[in-house]
Amino acid sequence: MKIAVIGTGGVGGYFGAKLAQAGNDVTFIARGQHLEAIRSNGLLVKSVNGDMHIPNAQVSDTITDITNADLVLTAVKAWQIKDIRNDIKQIIHEKSIVLPLQNGVMAADELAEVIPEKQVMGGLCRIFSLIEAPGVINHVGFKPEIVFGERNGVQTPEMEVLSQLFDNAGIACKASRDIEADVWKKFIFICTSALLAVTKTSYGELRELKETRQMMIALLNEIYAVSQKKGVKIKPDFIDKTIAVIDAVAYESTSSLTRDVWEGKPSEIDYQNGTVVKLAEKYGVDVPVNRFVYDCILPMELKARGKFNRQTS
């Protein structure tokens, strides 16, 4: 299969390497030193499950260099989807599948505003990984998995094609009958990332201290309340299960949003807690912890994007 991996970070680098290793025709989109390192030395993935090296990885910095992709995996930051969707439209054919693996709950909708809706699946992935150095991805934990499904809940032949593709590449996968619920379940979990950023804690530290643990639980319950107002089908015991997952995460673990905020980089805050705040206003739900977290990070986000209004006397 001809596959375009748009964004060769921790997510795209890992899953793209698995697909390339299985013999698929994979082209990676990367930038800067990362691009040059992959061109020179190939793509190296260090993993707790075994390292991979794609010595002659096909890589470019221009999406439209790719033609007739059968599958497009979007693995850029959530806020970059609007910037790339028109280019993606140019590289697909009428039977192509576009599968977003972004955090948040907006990616598929934003893609489908430009790309034919029937070609955009809902999707998510689970993995802890990051760019360790140019040309090097480090998968540090969590069993990697891709979950996907048609947004209308219908089982289609395209879902079977993806299941076979991922199975052949040794990628754990799930063909979902309710991808909206699965995306929201991940969304609820990842929105703790901003709380880590504000409190300057790891997951272990956050859950250990009584005060921050209470904030974490309140934040999760607020998002669950929003999901129920929206009509997402998630069972009431999901929050307890999410807390159990957080309690089992490696003590020093953080998240990409957390690290982006700490490092003064643009983050996905508008697509995580910012989305919670907007939807809460729409559905009339009170979300004080999510609003506090979002409001605390907003000035840092504006500075990172060069949009902070400075007044001079």
Side-chain angles (χ1 to χ4, degrees), residues 68-139:
N68 294 316
D70 301 309
L71 171 65
V72 178
L73 297 180
T74 64
V76 295
K77 297 292 187 181
W79 51 271
Q80 295 173 311
I81 284 291
K82 289 183 178 180
D83 296 330
I84 65 171
R85 58 189 181 179
N86 286 305
D87 286 344
I88 291 173
K89 185 178 181 180
Q90 295 182 52
I91 70 169
I92 58 176
H93 53 78
E94 62 180 11
K95 294 186 178 180
S96 300
I97 301 168
V98 180
L99 180 63
L101 299 179
Q102 275 62 43
N103 290 325
V105 294
M106 301 298 294
D109 288 341
E110 290 183 347
L111 286 165
E113 288 172 1
V114 171
I115 296 163
E117 191 165 359
K118 66 180 182 179
Q119 294 182 258
V120 179
M121 281 202 191
L124 64 96
C125 67
R126 298 186 178 98
I127 187 172
F128 281 156
S129 55
L130 67 158
I131 298 176
E132 179 181 281
V136 182
I137 305 298
N138 192 350
H139 164 225

Side-chain angles (χ1 to χ4, degrees), residues 10-67:
V11 169
Y14 178 86
F15 290 114
K18 291 287 285 186
L19 290 165
Q21 191 178 55
N24 294 286
D25 180 0
V26 179
T27 300
F28 298 88
I29 298 297
R31 300 282 190 269
Q33 292 183 339
H34 195 43
L35 168 71
E36 295 307 321
I38 296 171
R39 277 179 173 161
S40 300
N41 306 311
L43 179 64
L44 174 63
V45 177
K46 298 179 180 179
S47 172
V48 293
N49 295 334
D51 297 349
M52 295 178 282
H53 183 223
I54 311 302
N56 298 307
Q58 299 180 82
V59 64
S60 174
D61 60 358
T62 304
I63 294 172
T64 51
D65 282 349
I66 304 166
T67 57

Side-chain angles (χ1 to χ4, degrees), residues 258-270:
T258 308
R259 296 187 294 272
D260 285 342
V261 172
W262 289 346
E263 294 167 12
K265 298 177 180 177
S267 76
E268 294 181 327
I269 187 63
D270 281 324

